[in-house]
Amino acid sequence: MLVALSVGLAALVRIVWFVDLPLIEQVIRIPDDAFYYLVLARNFAESGSWTFDHMSTTSGFHPLHAFYLALVSAISGAAEFSTMLWASGLAAVVAMSWAAYLCAQMVSRSGQTFAPFAVVAVLTAPLVLMQTSTVMESPWVILAGALCYRSVLPKSRVSFAAVALIGAFGSLARTDFGLLPVTMFVTACVVPLAPAVRKEIQLRLVVLLAGATVALALFLFYVHGYSGHWLQSSARMKSLWGDTADSALQNYVLLLFVVLGSRSVIVFAGAGLIQFVVGGARRLLARSSGEVAAVDQPTGAREDETDAPGSSAGTRSFVGVSGAVAVLGYIVFFGLQNLAPQTWYSAAFVVPLSLAIGVTTGAFLSYARVGRALQGGFAALIVVTCILSFAESQYPRFPHQANMLGAALWLKENPPGARVAAFNAGLLSYFSERDVVNLDGLVNDDIYGYASRDALSDYFDDREIGYLLDYPGMWEQPSLQRRGGFSGGDLNKRLRVHQRIAPLIPRARWLRGHPVLMKVESPPS
């Protein structure tokens, strides 16, 4: 329970601090993709249609988070930004606390108090803690991962119907969730387990994967019903981007090491090592003096006397190894798509990582037979380290978005006489309170057909788009031209500077520039 309270308190403090920030300080800590969710939710609550610009449909979202925000928008009417932050943030507090509680149960061993604090170390790492306030799907994904592990273990007392529902919950939280039960099933086939235990875990994983598959299929049928496409627009566009980009595998390895290199995880590892050395030395001294019986005496109940899920050595090995395999699986899965890593992608491997670290630490400390008092002292140190992690999590990861906020407020007061489009359209549309056509295709199902044949310029004509507002690098860099579907140069030849918008923070540049409103001239006859 202390693990859950520590994580929940850290998340709550983060949310309270974040909501109280000035608007400009908030937007430089929220990715533009989060505003896609907010605009979609607002439009769905108003019209009942999934559209970003009231012109084209979109299927590029993970349904659980999108429907939750839409429900909040519908209940609260024209919801203030702070209302949406509170709604998303409080849901994150509950999800993270629950996930921490479940993970701690699976890591816990008889006579140990330190190993479960691996969950605290990972879930309060700055890169993870900041995701409680990014208004993305991350907390739902973390909770789904914890529920997934908890529901398939022996003695979990979770019915097969509930296991299927948890699988469905996972797919609705993130549509690529099915990779987790697949890696767990592979692990269950190779890790030494009692035959009956292996059979039960595999059966539960099959049920879990079936629930995830059915939920994903139903969602894709729903998407096809209103969009005519079987695949989400975001998935199709990311596949197209991957075909034009270099390998990103090393970047996802780096993303993992950003979490592993956080102060909380390093302190946890150091504390665990100290305990192992101290306990191991004590054990060796006791053996040399003939006090083996006293040292080897268990400090709590025997493993086979507890009803806790994952209480047997074999099951704990499955949890730890499958956690490591899942982390590797997600890194390869994301890396092979050649996509630039985003902070919220790490949510997929947060739970597996905390379980792998916790089980490994518990195994070492079980050998060393460290006393509860020493373990408790080091556990308190981890909780204190959370405070330092909170300070690190305050770092603004998107400082350039302050100037996009300025562009949005300018657009709100100075609407041009024709449609406006943008590649980074989320924040711009949300705060201008105007329809902005999305050009990156993540929330615009029409874009893929044009981008895939390198004909985005034709889309401007077909949709009568008169202006482009974004960072100049979005249309000047060759790599982004190829990714966006306008590498032929036709679009760039038609762009003329209409308004240079004064930046709110001049030093905060992205792609070496500030947002500019470009006039799109008619194509040459």
Side-chain angles (χ1 to χ4, degrees):
M1 184 59 72
L2 183 57
V3 169
L5 289 175
S6 300
V7 172
L9 182 59
L12 181 60
V13 170
R14 166 81 186 187
I15 296 303
V16 172
W17 166 81
F18 188 82
V19 174
D20 192 52
L21 289 175
L23 178 60
I24 192 171
E25 293 291 331
Q26 292 171 336
V27 300
I28 63 178
R29 293 172 170 84
I30 301 177
D32 194 63
D33 290 43
F35 294 100
Y36 286 165
Y37 272 118
L38 292 172
V39 173
L40 290 175
R42 181 172 65 192
N43 291 346
F44 186 81
E46 293 174 352
S47 66
S49 300
W50 290 112
T51 177
F52 184 78
D53 57 13
H54 292 101
M55 181 175 64
S56 58
T57 60
T58 182
S59 55
F61 55 89
H62 298 293
L64 179 61
H65 191 50
F67 274 105
Y68 173 69
L69 293 179
L71 178 63
V72 174
S73 295
I75 293 175
S76 58
E80 297 288 336
F81 183 50
S82 60
T83 301
M84 303 306 291
L85 291 181
W86 275 117
S88 177
L90 292 179
V93 171
V94 173
M96 297 282 280
S97 302
W98 191 0
Y101 175 75
L102 295 174
C103 290
Q105 279 189 320
M106 291 180 279
V107 172
S108 295
R109 285 171 175 253
S110 171
Q112 290 192 11
T113 57
F114 179 74
F117 280 82
V119 179
V120 179
V122 174
L123 265 64
T124 61
L127 189 70
V128 181
L129 187 60
M130 66 176 58
Q131 294 183 51
T132 59
S133 58
T134 54
V135 201
M136 293 295 289
E137 71 275 358
S138 302
W140 303 114
V141 177
I142 292 172
L143 176 58
L147 288 170
C148 172
Y149 274 94
R150 178 66 168 76
S151 65
V152 302
L153 297 181
K155 304 178 184 178
S156 64
R157 298 188 179 91
V158 179
S159 68
F160 283 108
V163 172
L165 289 176
I166 289 171
F169 177 85
S171 277
L172 296 178
R174 188 170 176 90
T175 49
D176 55 18
F177 169 80
L179 179 62
L180 180 58
V182 168
T183 58
M184 293 173 67
F185 187 89
V186 171
T187 305
C189 294
V190 297
V191 169
L193 292 168
V197 172
R198 186 191 309 277
K199 182 178 179 180
E200 181 177 357
I201 290 177
Q202 290 176 332
L203 180 58
R204 286 178 172 273
L205 283 169
V206 168
V207 174
L208 184 87
L209 188 57
T213 303
V214 170
L216 178 60
L218 290 175
F219 175 62
L220 294 180
F221 269 105
Y222 171 70
V223 165
H224 182 266
Y226 71 80
S227 70
H229 304 293
W230 287 108
L231 285 179
Q232 294 171 277
S233 59
S234 54
R236 291 186 296 159
M237 286 304 302
K238 289 177 181 179
S239 174
L240 182 64
W241 297 349
D243 292 339
T244 62
D246 297 328
S247 173
L249 185 61
Q250 68 275 11
N251 294 329
Y252 285 92
V253 174
L254 179 62
L255 187 65
L256 169 63
F257 277 95
V258 169
V259 178
L260 289 176
S262 62
R263 189 193 306 264
S264 56
V265 176
I266 291 175
V267 170
F268 177 86
L273 180 61
I274 291 172
Q275 293 177 76
F276 176 70
V277 171
V278 171
R282 173 176 172 270
R283 187 183 181 94
L284 290 175
L285 289 173
R287 283 183 177 276
S288 64
S289 61
E291 300 176 5
V292 179
V295 174
D296 289 344
Q297 183 64 34
T299 56
R302 288 164 52 93
E303 288 183 352
D304 57 3
E305 291 175 351
T306 177
D307 291 328
S311 58
S312 70
T315 306
R316 274 197 301 271
S317 297
F318 163 74
V319 170
V321 174
S322 64
V325 172
V327 172
L328 177 62
Y330 273 112
I331 288 176
V332 172
F333 174 74
F334 288 132
L336 291 182
Q337 296 182 64
N338 299 335
L339 300 176
Q342 305 294 347
T343 56
W344 54 94
Y345 289 178
S346 64
F349 60 72
V350 163
V351 165
L353 181 63
S354 65
L355 293 176
I357 294 175
V359 169
T360 302
T361 302
F364 278 109
L365 297 187
S366 178
Y367 166 81
R369 299 289 185 187
V370 179
R372 288 178 186 248
L374 183 60
Q375 292 185 53
F378 278 111
L381 175 63
I382 301 303
V383 175
V384 172
T385 306
C386 293
I387 300 174
L388 301 176
S389 294
F390 170 74
E392 291 180 34
S393 73
Q394 297 178 19
Y395 176 77
R397 297 189 63 85
F398 314 100
H400 60 278
Q401 291 192 165
N403 297 326
M404 188 59 88
L405 173 64
L409 299 177
W410 181 91
L411 182 63
K412 182 178 181 180
E413 299 299 327
N414 304 275
R419 285 196 180 107
V420 178
F423 294 94
N424 299 283
L427 189 156
L428 189 62
S429 177
Y430 186 79
F431 286 108
S432 70
E433 299 179 10
R434 299 186 179 280
D435 289 332
V436 177
V437 180
N438 169 245
L439 294 177
D440 68 8
L442 295 183
V443 286
N444 184 344
D445 287 359
D446 295 338
I447 292 295
Y448 178 79
Y450 291 86
S452 61
R453 51 189 177 88
D454 205 34
L456 190 66
S457 181
D458 294 343
Y459 182 75
F460 278 77
D461 300 327
D462 294 344
R463 294 300 188 183
E464 299 179 346
I465 297 171
Y467 295 91
L468 171 60
L469 202 172
D470 217 312
Y471 304 93
M474 292 302 300
W475 57 83
E476 292 177 351
Q477 290 194 6
S479 61
L480 296 179
Q481 292 174 4
R482 291 192 300 272
R483 193 181 83 165
F486 56 100
S487 62
D490 293 343
L491 177 61
N492 286 33
K493 294 176 182 178
R494 299 169 55 185
L495 299 178
R496 298 292 181 271
V497 175
H498 182 77
Q499 178 70 44
R500 295 188 185 278
I501 301 171
L504 297 182
I505 304 179
R507 69 178 183 278
R509 296 173 177 268
W510 193 60
L511 299 177
R512 297 182 296 179
H514 300 127
V516 178
L517 180 66
M518 306 293 288
K519 179 73 171 67
V520 183
E521 296 184 344
S522 301
S525 56

